[in-house]
Amino acid sequence: MRLDLEILLLEKVNALIGEIAGSNGSHADLQQAIVQCVNLRARVPSVRERIVCRSDYLRNQSLNANIFAGLEKIISAAEVGEDLRPWLHDAIFANKQDALMNDWGVQHFHLGLSIQTVPNGRKKVSRTGDLLYTMHIEKTGRLYLIGVFDHGSFSEKRLLEIIDAEWPELLGHAKVENMTD
């Protein structure tokens, strides 16, 4: 009986992974499937209209025409409630950990202009060297646009400084209060 319940639960979790990721989950281990499902729920914005909040840093950035057009395309998609999965990076859909997302809630989107369908059927925006770093808050429907940085900026302290300057409440979970020597 227990084994049947575990098999049924594994099937349901793999199906949920498939709904979120846009391709079927294929885990044989229930614990791994649950971990990936929880990670995907936190990382993949639901399909809904979003309130887009641009940082002053982003507003003042000088971007080349293609990157700017890609930025405007994702902003438009977010505001009208399109699926943002095509702009997400591939590691989200693989069973990989994303330290920037796990530690700070910051993720990145590609800013390509063309959308192609990959062999597993998922749509994917063409990849760019520059990425849009964001935070999305599912509860409020807000998408916070931090700035456009290159692919090597995953450990860039500037990301957190921008968030702290503009939306300090978004880092409340990471602040240490009343620490003494």
Side-chain angles (χ1 to χ4, degrees):
M1 174 72 173
R2 180 165 191 244
L3 186 59
D4 291 342
L5 182 59
E6 285 182 19
I7 291 169
L8 180 62
L9 185 55
L10 180 61
E11 289 172 2
K12 295 292 184 185
V13 173
N14 274 327
L16 186 55
I17 289 169
E19 288 175 27
I20 298 168
S23 62
N24 290 334
S26 58
H27 289 282
D29 180 78
L30 179 59
Q31 185 175 351
Q32 287 179 346
I34 290 171
V35 167
Q36 185 182 15
C37 188
V38 169
N39 281 333
L40 283 170
R41 297 285 286 192
R43 296 174 181 178
V44 178
S46 64
V47 178
R48 65 185 276 189
E49 291 179 4
R50 299 213 168 259
I51 299 165
V52 175
C53 307
R54 296 182 203 206
S55 71
D56 288 337
Y57 181 87
L58 178 62
R59 281 191 188 95
N60 294 320
Q61 272 190 285
S62 186
L63 303 172
N64 78 43
N66 285 339
I67 295 299
F68 183 78
L71 174 64
E72 290 301 311
K73 194 170 183 176
I74 192 170
I75 289 171
S76 175
E79 289 176 336
V80 300
E82 289 182 25
D83 188 353
L84 300 180
R85 286 181 295 187
W87 284 271
L88 289 171
H89 58 95
D90 295 328
I92 280 184
F93 302 108
N95 195 17
K96 296 181 181 177
Q97 296 300 314
D98 181 339
L100 189 59
M101 178 65 184
N102 291 344
D103 292 346
W104 303 105
V106 174
Q107 64 187 132
H108 68 275
F109 290 90
H110 287 270
L111 295 169
L113 295 174
S114 63
I115 296 178
Q116 59 242 328
T117 301
V118 295
N120 69 4
R122 189 170 61 80
K123 294 188 183 305
K124 179 175 159 179
V125 167
S126 54
R127 296 332 202 196
T128 55
D130 288 333
L131 305 169
L132 173 64
Y133 287 81
T134 72
M135 291 181 80
H136 80 272
I137 307 299
E138 203 57 45
K139 189 187 310 183
T140 64
R142 291 183 185 273
L143 180 65
Y144 296 90
L145 309 184
I146 302 163
V148 174
F149 297 89
D150 66 30
H151 239 115
S153 298
F154 296 113
S155 60
E156 182 70 42
K157 184 177 157 188
R158 184 77 183 123
L159 294 169
L160 299 177
E161 292 171 344
I162 293 166
I163 298 166
D164 192 46
E166 304 226 13
W167 312 291
E169 68 278 6
L170 297 180
L171 297 177
H173 69 282
K175 294 208 182 212
V176 176
E177 301 288 334
N178 300 321
M179 191 168 168
T180 60
D181 288 333

